[in-house]
Amino acid sequence: MLKLKLALFLVLQIAYVCAQAPVTITGIILEEGSQLPLANVIVGIEGEQISNQTDVLGNFILNISLKGDYILNITYPNYTVKRIPLNIEKGPLDLGTIYLTRDISFEKNDNLITLTDAELLDDESSSNALGLLQSTRDVFLTRAAFDFGQAFFRVRGYDAQNGEVLLNGIPINKFFDGRPQWNNFGGLNDVVRNQEFSNGLNPSVYTFGGILGNTNIDLRPSGLRPGYRISSSASNRTYTGRVMATYNSGMQKNGLAYMFSASRRWAKEGYIDGTLYDAYSVFGALEYRFNDKNTISLTAFLASNRRGRSSAITEEVFNLVGNKYNPYWGEQDGKIRNARERKIAEPVVMLNYFYTADVFNLRAGLAFQTGKNARGRLGYYNAPNPDPTYYRYLPSFYINSPIGANFISANIAKDGFLENPQLNWNSVFNANSSVSQNGKAAYVLYDDTAADTQLSARINGNYSINEKLKLDFGLGFTGLTSENYAKIFDLLGADFHEDIDTFSDTRNNVLSQVNKIEGDIFNYDYGLKADKTEAFVQLNLDFNEWKGFLAGQYSNINYQRNGFFQNERFLENSLGKSEAIHFSNFGIKGGLTRKITGRHWITTNGAYIQRAPVLQNVFVNPRESNATVPNLKSETISTVDANYFIRMPSLTGRLSGFYTRFQNTTDINFFFVDSGVGSDFVQEVLTDLDKLHMGIELGLQYELSASVKLTGVASIGKYLYASNPYVTINFDTAAADEELIDVSGSKDLGVATIKGYKLAQGPQQAFALGIEYRDPKYWWAGMTVNYLANNYANISTITRTNSFLIDPETDEQFNDATEENVASLLRQNPLDDFYLLNFTAGKSWLRKGKYLGIFLSINNALDTIFRTGGFEQSRNGNFGQLKEDNLSGSPSFAPKYWYGYGRTYFLNVAFSF
């Protein structure tokens, strides 16, 4: 009987909903000032999948069958969002003329790019996936990007590979590390403004996506404001100057639209000493609209970036020379020269087709990318380490001497370092030109290069079965061919380099001559092939008060290495192709939304996803051999979140809670270690590694008046290791104890006891309060106070294995390695908590369709010194050495840290017409 009543109730509810006559909402949207109509403006109901666009005359029509109180949301790139309260009871409803004003605060996007460049170009830190997600109006995500981003905050502690970025519907995440390569379109700010963002597990019409969110950037000229735009910037962050020019024809009567953009960015030095910046970007797009339903576009762009990198430093070095210090550079002939330059140039060409109709949309595209990503390095061979922060050159080396502290030598080392703290290029050239070298290089400047060629094909569509059911689907293929090698860039005064490994005195390639000159490939040379085929389908249900979606995906990934060198240390396993590695995975996610009223609703989402390991975690040491990680598995992700949304005329906000578990993760690390089972440069392989992320997010925005807006944001997370992974180390040479390792050079160390340690994923707590004033005379100013806490340095895994307890001299456990002493030595301490005060301001003028805007931001106005992250060094891989190194309080192998920027500014002037 109960089942019958429930069924009858559902039937009556559906009949009631279907019987409601739709209400028609109409209006016209014009630009304030010029009074010109705005086409392609998105008009929709907040919290509902109901939206439409204005036509060329600015007119819009919305049909809505719902009754109650709602907020009409009107958005258009570079214009202030208009939010209009509605009470829908009966129709039709004519809103008349609505004016949109140009949003000068969109210049913050340029500010954001400048902030995140520092992180995006460093391998040591995992980039914040929000770096370019500028289209979202979620106040929490805005604060996370603009204010928390300078402290390398990560939303929910997730790595960037958990968010997917698409250009014209084609994913651009890399096979190597799973992250988007932001540098591929850096400097093209004007053309990446048209974005559609899906936060977290929310459904996307373009892709199944990742758990962090998905962004599709539409590069078509028709979706961006037509006309000219010229801008110039000055800053003291990653670059000091920038100029950018863009022209967009807009959609013409003949159906043709085209767009060009170019920029140049430069710095002799950025905020960090010795970090040169030299970049240019060019973009061109051609779009042709056959009719209202069919459009094609051709897009090509190149963003070339050359940048001097910086290094993490120990607290000892920081206390001597400060947070701007960078050991990678020195003066040569009176000019700054950085030994660790990074150069990226990977042009992209895309061809896309778009079909748009009332009930069916289809997008298809091809993308071709090629180019090189090179990282410079100064190599040394049977010669002193050129790094001025090498532990033997610092005072702590003499204080921690095994024969007793020598404070006289420590002071001499301190004075010597302070007198010459930078890399000495003259010494490098003198060493190479000395008579004893006979023309052989003691030092070589070379590039670690990845030359990639990638082809992607993608098709996806959306079909409205009826008003209640919609279907999204997609199919894609990506194929990568990558050659990876070291190439001599500069012999630094020498005649040749002898391509022999100095640790083992073996040849890196027995098939070629040993002596190499400038332009030669040496050390290693191998190819990687990878391809991925994926498909997804998604069903969206809309029953007014209740909404839901269910999505599934399937992927097939193949990896293979092909060695072009026969390494003498791995004669049997370095040349030729490896075994093919295959992964077949699936993922499923779903969500449910319950509308309380038109201005309050709750959602809950969940997902279970299998994911293949990224390419960098498949081969143990691809530079030298075909060996793969043993028992390699797909990673699994289980996640759930719950959200409450409020959309009032003056108050908007979101409260979210989340729980995510990553299982069967694989990780590979490279370092030199003095361990209980040998001393050597090793590859450390972690398998069966679990990670746990949980927490809450809160973002509120309150319009105190038409001119004053208040914001409050909080993120409280807990990100930690959730298992004790299995650890294997692989030795490069015979320096290790041969009785303890197998014929492949590997040693199983058992498990690392790291469960419960905190992950190094940025601050795990972040809070912000902000106020913004907008004057009717087109100027505005804002201020945010931010507090960030619970940030941790990355731990050394090998020191948490049983090998750490073994005395290498006796092969027995250290007598004083008690549980209490070990725990004290390996205690994980958080980095400093800190406050950041940021200011922004802007002014605009609009005269006869011409627009001039000025934007200024000052970040970290109080010049707070803070650490953004770091890592424990693994050199002291046994208890005895680490204990002795820490006795003085100034260890030689202390953790290394990255330091955030102090007080910085960004000034941008833009003129458009």
Side-chain angles (χ1 to χ4, degrees):
M1 186 65 179
L2 179 59
K3 293 182 178 179
L4 179 60
K5 289 182 178 180
L6 287 174
L8 181 59
F9 174 76
L10 289 174
V11 170
L12 290 175
Q13 284 291 100
I14 294 173
Y16 170 74
V17 168
C18 295
Q20 295 184 76
V23 174
T24 300
I25 304 172
T26 59
I28 181 172
I29 298 178
L30 305 179
E31 181 182 50
E32 187 177 40
S34 69
Q35 303 289 305
L36 295 175
L38 295 175
N40 300 318
V41 178
I42 298 176
V43 183
I45 304 295
E46 284 194 1
E48 305 289 339
Q49 295 179 349
I50 302 172
S51 65
N52 206 343
Q53 293 186 346
T54 57
D55 60 21
V56 293
L57 298 177
N59 297 302
F60 69 88
I61 299 176
L62 277 182
N63 292 312
I64 178 170
S65 59
L66 307 176
K67 292 186 178 181
D69 293 324
Y70 295 92
I71 300 293
L72 185 71
N73 192 298
I74 303 173
T75 59
Y76 191 55
N78 304 343
Y79 286 78
T80 301
V81 173
K82 182 79 73 173
R83 302 176 70 251
I84 302 174
L86 297 178
N87 178 267
I88 300 174
E89 293 296 337
K90 58 181 179 179
L93 184 60
D94 185 1
L95 300 179
T97 302
I98 301 170
Y99 294 100
L100 291 188
T101 58
R102 186 181 290 271
D103 182 8
I104 65 170
S105 65
F106 80 88
E107 300 297 344
K108 287 181 182 178
N109 296 344
D110 296 336
N111 180 45
L112 176 58
I113 303 265
T114 308
L115 282 174
T116 55
D117 261 346
E119 181 182 359
L120 301 178
L121 291 176
D122 279 332
D123 298 326
E124 294 87 349
S125 59
S126 169
S127 62
N128 179 2
L130 285 176
L132 291 179
L133 305 183
Q134 304 159 357
S135 62
T136 175
R137 298 291 174 174
D138 183 289
V139 63
F140 175 85
L141 298 178
T142 300
R143 283 284 170 261
F146 287 95
D147 293 286
F148 301 159
Q150 59 190 306
F152 294 175
F153 173 83
R154 291 164 182 80
V155 174
R156 301 188 179 183
Y158 295 157
D159 184 88
Q161 65 174 298
N162 292 293
E164 191 171 37
V165 177
L166 305 92
L167 300 180
N168 284 354
I170 301 176
I172 62 169
N173 293 57
K174 292 287 189 177
F175 275 107
F176 181 72
D177 56 12
R179 303 170 186 162
Q181 179 54 272
W182 306 99
N183 299 283
N184 288 160
F185 48 94
L188 296 174
N189 306 32
D190 287 345
V191 303
V192 298
R193 300 188 189 277
N194 190 11
Q195 304 178 11
E196 188 172 339
F197 174 61
S198 298
N199 185 31
L201 294 174
N202 289 341
S204 167
V205 298
Y206 302 97
T207 180
F208 182 88
I211 63 173
L212 178 57
N214 316 289
T215 296
N216 179 63
I217 303 175
D218 192 335
L219 300 175
R220 288 179 290 174
S222 62
L224 296 166
R225 184 181 181 277
Y228 294 88
R229 185 176 188 270
I230 301 171
S231 65
S232 180
S233 306
S235 176
N236 66 338
R237 296 172 185 168
T238 53
Y239 54 76
T240 57
R242 186 194 69 184
V243 292
M244 182 162 47
T246 301
Y247 173 70
N248 184 1
S249 71
M251 185 57 67
Q252 302 178 62
K253 293 181 180 180
N254 60 3
L256 191 66
Y258 54 92
M259 186 174 185
F260 303 100
S261 185
S263 74
R264 177 83 167 81
R265 294 168 291 166
W266 67 89
K268 182 179 179 180
E269 285 185 287
Y271 184 85
I272 303 298
D273 294 340
T275 54
L276 69 92
Y277 198 102
D278 183 16
Y280 68 87
S281 305
V282 291
F283 172 93
L286 183 65
E287 180 181 1
Y288 182 69
R289 181 177 294 172
F290 293 95
N291 48 48
D292 291 341
K293 295 183 178 180
N294 296 277
T295 304
I296 61 171
S297 68
L298 178 65
T299 308
F301 55 91
L302 166 65
S304 175
N305 188 295
R306 172 174 166 249
R307 179 179 184 245
R309 296 175 61 199
S310 60
S311 172
I313 57 176
T314 62
E315 193 169 0
E316 176 187 16
V317 174
F318 164 77
N319 289 331
L320 290 171
V321 286
N323 64 320
K324 288 188 177 183
Y325 175 73
N326 176 19
Y328 287 160
W329 72 277
E331 286 194 354
Q332 180 185 340
D333 298 329
K335 296 182 180 180
I336 293 173
R337 186 175 190 182
N338 192 306
R340 293 288 187 101
E341 289 187 7
R342 185 172 181 184
K343 292 162 282 189
I344 302 174
E346 297 179 311
V348 178
V349 179
M350 306 178 70
L351 178 64
N352 296 93
Y353 167 73
F354 303 88
Y355 174 83
T356 304
D358 292 336
V359 298
F360 182 67
N361 297 323
L362 184 69
R363 292 168 289 269
L366 289 172
F368 176 78
Q369 182 177 36
T370 188
K372 296 179 180 179
N373 186 332
R375 299 170 177 84
R377 183 180 296 271
L378 181 60
Y380 56 99
Y381 306 89
N382 291 319
N385 190 325
D387 184 349
T389 62
Y390 183 56
Y391 78 102
R392 289 180 177 270
Y393 306 153
L394 297 174
S396 58
F397 174 73
Y398 300 95
I399 295 175
N400 299 317
S401 172
I403 61 175
N406 186 333
F407 293 102
I408 296 177
S409 296
N411 281 326
I412 293 174
K414 175 184 176 181
D415 294 339
F417 176 75
L418 291 176
E419 185 177 349
N420 297 291
Q422 301 306 142
L423 194 155
N424 193 326
W425 287 105
N426 290 332
S427 295
V428 168
F429 276 87
N430 291 338
N432 274 2
S433 58
S434 67
V435 176
S436 61
Q437 288 296 116
N438 294 317
K440 184 173 73 172
Y443 298 93
V444 169
L445 192 62
Y446 65 93
D447 286 333
D448 288 315
T449 303
D452 291 354
T453 298
Q454 183 167 294
L455 178 66
S456 301
R458 184 87 167 189
I459 183 171
N460 81 286
N462 321 107
Y463 176 58
S464 297
I465 301 172
N466 53 46
E467 291 185 357
K468 306 300 179 185
L469 301 177
K470 294 182 180 179
L471 185 69
D472 305 315
F473 61 89
L475 179 65
F477 171 82
T478 303
L480 169 70
T481 299
S482 176
E483 185 177 1
N484 300 263
Y485 53 84
K487 187 174 185 178
I488 297 176
F489 178 73
D490 191 342
L491 283 172
L492 304 171
D495 295 327
F496 66 92
H497 167 65
E498 190 175 55
D499 193 17
I500 292 178
D501 179 79
T502 56
F503 288 99
S504 60
D505 196 29
T506 56
R507 297 177 63 175
N508 292 317
N509 184 17
V510 299
L511 302 179
S512 69
Q513 62 180 14
V514 69
N515 293 338
K516 304 291 183 179
I517 60 174
E518 288 181 6
D520 282 352
I521 293 175
F522 80 114
N523 199 8
Y524 66 92
D525 187 10
Y526 66 95
L528 292 172
K529 282 189 175 294
D531 64 74
K532 179 179 182 180
T533 304
E534 58 183 334
F536 91 96
V537 63
Q538 180 172 275
L539 183 64
N540 304 280
L541 304 97
D542 185 351
F543 292 98
N544 296 336
E545 285 81 6
W546 289 95
K547 297 179 183 179
F549 77 94
L550 183 64
Q553 76 163 358
Y554 174 81
S555 64
N556 185 278
I557 294 181
N558 302 293
Y559 297 137
Q560 190 170 41
R561 178 190 183 272
N562 187 12
F564 303 133
F565 277 10
Q566 187 168 23
N567 191 296
E568 190 173 0
R569 297 179 297 283
F570 300 92
L571 287 173
E572 304 300 324
N573 197 29
S574 55
L575 184 67
K577 294 183 178 180
S578 71
E579 61 174 314
I581 310 296
H582 305 281
F583 296 95
S584 294
N585 295 315
F586 75 91
I588 187 171
K589 70 176 183 177
L592 193 63
T593 299
R594 172 66 170 96
K595 186 183 68 175
I596 302 170
T597 70
R599 298 178 182 179
H600 304 264
W601 64 93
I602 56 175
T603 69
T604 182
N605 305 290
Y608 178 83
I609 301 170
Q610 291 181 332
R611 183 171 66 185
V614 293
L615 192 50
Q616 68 175 346
N617 289 330
V618 172
F619 298 96
V620 175
N621 184 13
R623 294 184 175 184
E624 298 184 340
S625 79
N626 285 330
T628 59
V629 172
N631 302 315
L632 197 59
K633 300 176 183 178
S634 289
E635 181 181 16
T636 60
I637 306 172
S638 306
T639 182
V640 63
D641 66 43
N643 312 273
Y644 164 70
F645 296 86
I646 181 172
R647 294 291 186 269
M648 304 295 288
S650 297
L651 178 66
T652 63
R654 170 173 65 89
L655 174 64
S656 299
F658 63 92
Y659 178 95
T660 304
R661 190 179 185 96
F662 298 86
Q663 295 176 280
N664 299 326
T665 300
T666 300
D667 193 23
I668 301 178
N669 303 295
F670 301 82
F671 50 83
F672 189 92
V673 64
D674 289 323
S675 72
V677 293
S679 301
D680 196 7
F681 188 82
V682 301
Q683 299 88 46
E684 176 192 63
V685 180
L686 277 63
T687 54
D688 295 328
L689 174 63
D690 293 359
K691 301 175 183 180
L692 184 63
H693 296 238
M694 66 179 77
I696 58 174
E697 300 169 339
L698 174 66
L700 294 173
Q701 178 176 292
Y702 181 70
E703 294 185 6
L704 191 63
S705 69
S707 300
V708 180
K709 180 171 63 178
L710 305 177
T711 57
V713 162
S715 174
I716 303 174
K718 187 176 182 181
Y719 320 134
L720 46 80
Y721 291 102
S723 72
N724 294 322
Y726 196 78
V727 181
T728 303
I729 57 174
N730 297 265
F731 294 91
D732 267 1
T733 71
D737 189 338
E738 295 183 356
E739 295 182 0
L740 297 176
I741 60 177
D742 62 28
V743 294
S744 67
S746 66
K747 167 65 179 176
D748 294 336
L749 300 184
V751 298
T753 309
I754 64 173
K755 185 176 180 179
Y757 278 89
K758 300 296 194 303
L759 293 169
Q761 291 296 102
Q764 300 195 14
Q765 292 186 11
F767 306 88
L769 292 175
I771 183 171
E772 181 179 304
Y773 173 78
R774 287 177 176 268
D775 192 89
K777 295 182 179 180
Y778 295 100
W779 67 268
W780 64 274
M783 178 185 73
T784 57
V785 179
N786 309 275
Y787 174 71
L788 298 107
N790 287 22
N791 194 6
Y792 294 85
N794 201 17
I795 63 172
S796 166
T797 311
I798 196 171
T799 59
R800 274 79 179 179
T801 65
N802 285 332
S803 68
F804 178 70
L805 308 177
I806 299 175
D807 186 339
E809 296 183 0
T810 65
D811 290 337
E812 302 290 338
Q813 181 170 322
F814 287 98
N815 292 327
D816 55 346
T818 64
E819 183 176 344
E820 182 180 359
N821 288 342
V822 171
S824 175
L825 196 59
L826 299 180
R827 181 180 295 111
Q828 186 183 24
N829 296 313
L831 307 184
D832 301 328
D833 303 339
F834 55 93
Y835 291 90
L836 295 176
L837 179 63
N838 301 329
F839 293 99
T840 56
K843 176 76 171 93
S844 69
W845 296 265
L846 182 62
R847 294 290 185 274
K848 297 180 180 180
K850 296 180 175 61
Y851 165 82
L852 176 65
I854 297 178
F855 172 83
L856 172 68
S857 73
I858 299 175
N859 278 16
N860 191 6
L862 301 180
D863 203 24
T864 301
I865 294 177
F866 61 96
R867 294 176 289 184
T868 61
F871 59 92
E872 296 177 356
Q873 296 193 70
S874 296
R875 176 66 177 261
N876 289 324
N878 67 72
F879 173 81
Q881 284 190 215
L882 187 60
K883 182 190 71 173
E884 292 295 325
D885 196 29
N886 279 271
L887 286 177
S888 68
S890 180
S892 297
F893 297 100
K896 289 190 172 184
Y897 303 104
W898 286 278
Y899 288 82
Y901 291 173
R903 185 184 301 111
T904 61
Y905 71 90
F906 179 81
L907 175 65
N908 188 71
V909 179
F911 179 58
S912 59
F913 54 96

